[in-house]
Amino acid sequence: MAGLRVLLIPGSARTGSWNLKLAQAAATVLRELGAEPSVADLRALALPVYDADLEAAQGVPAGASALARQMAGHDAFVVVSPEYNAFPTPLLINTIDWVSRLPEGMKAMNGKPAALLSASPGALGGLRSLLVLRNFLSINPAMLVIPPQFALGNAAQAFTADGALADEKQAKSLHGVLAALLKTATALRA
Ligand SMILES: Cc1cc2nc3c(=O)[nH]c(=O)nc-3n(C[C@H](O)[C@H](O)[C@H](O)COP(=O)(O)O)c2cc1C
């Protein structure tokens, strides 16, 4: 599994985001598994809400090209999004929509394996949004979203001081999803 580059994409840019914390915990596990993780910063892309008139007048914003380039340099993705009203966040959907307007953006996503994670202070951990996210990422960006996924409930109580998952069963679930992602990415690369 050595050398697999995995881009973690948090769907929240909030200071203190539980999903960013989960992305960072996942990055640590990926490193332990021999992969090379990096974490994307969607806020830094400064993408406006998608607007076809704006696109016609000014083209696709530079932030979308930057993410497309970053995605092109990775073998697999881990998308880690909060659930807003049982849906992935507007930040995440809007970002992927912009990237999908670029041929190189579509190419950077198409056929690459992805794993889905979510975290919430609520009991279900954002689980309801993952089905929507799975459809969204599988159909047009055509990512190969792997079947195992992980939703972290009660996220405010879930992390140790050093950012790992405190509960052994949850840590094992996260590890299982990430190991399955690397296995798929390895098979696809071969
Ligand atoms: C508009 C909105 C809708 C929300 N809907 C849900 C929901 O459907 N399910 C849920 O578990 N939490 C919901 N939440 C609470 C989020 O899970 C919570 O704000 C969480 O901390 C956001 O993720 P973050 O910590 O990574 O920023 C909602 C929050 C907002 C702002």
Side-chain angles (χ1 to χ4, degrees), residues 22 116-119 125 130 148-152 165 170-171 173-174 177:
L22 181 57
L116 306 185
L117 310 177
S118 63
L130 292 185
Q149 60 186 25
F150 176 64
L152 177 67
L165 288 179
Q170 287 183 327
S173 296
L174 177 62
V177 171

Side-chain angles (χ1 to χ4, degrees), residues 154-177:
N154 303 314
Q157 287 81 42
F159 295 94
T160 62
D162 61 1
L165 288 179
D167 181 76
E168 203 179 311
K169 211 169 143 202
Q170 287 183 327
K172 207 170 155 199
S173 296
L174 177 62
H175 186 281
V177 171

Side-chain angles (χ1 to χ4, degrees), residues 12 14 16-20 82-86 119-122 125-126 128:
S12 169
R14 187 181 71 82
S17 160
W18 300 117
N19 286 271
L20 179 57
E83 173 177 271
Y84 283 0
N85 298 316
S120 166
R128 296 174 304 167

Side-chain angles (χ1 to χ4, degrees), residues 24-123:
Q24 286 160 344
T28 301
V29 175
L30 285 165
R31 229 171 271 117
E32 287 163 6
L33 289 168
E36 295 170 24
S38 5
V39 181
D41 180 354
L42 300 195
R43 177 179 274 155
L45 305 175
L47 291 170
V49 172
Y50 180 78
D51 177 336
D53 290 345
L54 188 147
E55 183 185 358
Q58 297 175 22
V60 176
S65 312
L67 184 60
R69 273 195 306 279
Q70 194 177 21
M71 291 174 118
H74 288 79
D75 303 294
F77 307 117
V78 179
V79 182
V80 194
S81 183
E83 173 177 271
Y84 283 0
N85 298 316
F87 215 76
T89 59
L91 174 67
L92 178 66
I93 301 284
N94 185 59
T95 300
I96 300 291
D97 281 347
W98 271 120
V99 173
S100 78
R101 300 300 294 160
L102 296 164
E104 66 270 30
M106 288 300 275
K107 192 167 170 235
M109 297 189 282
N110 198 305
K112 288 202 187 149
L116 306 185
L117 310 177
S118 63
S120 166

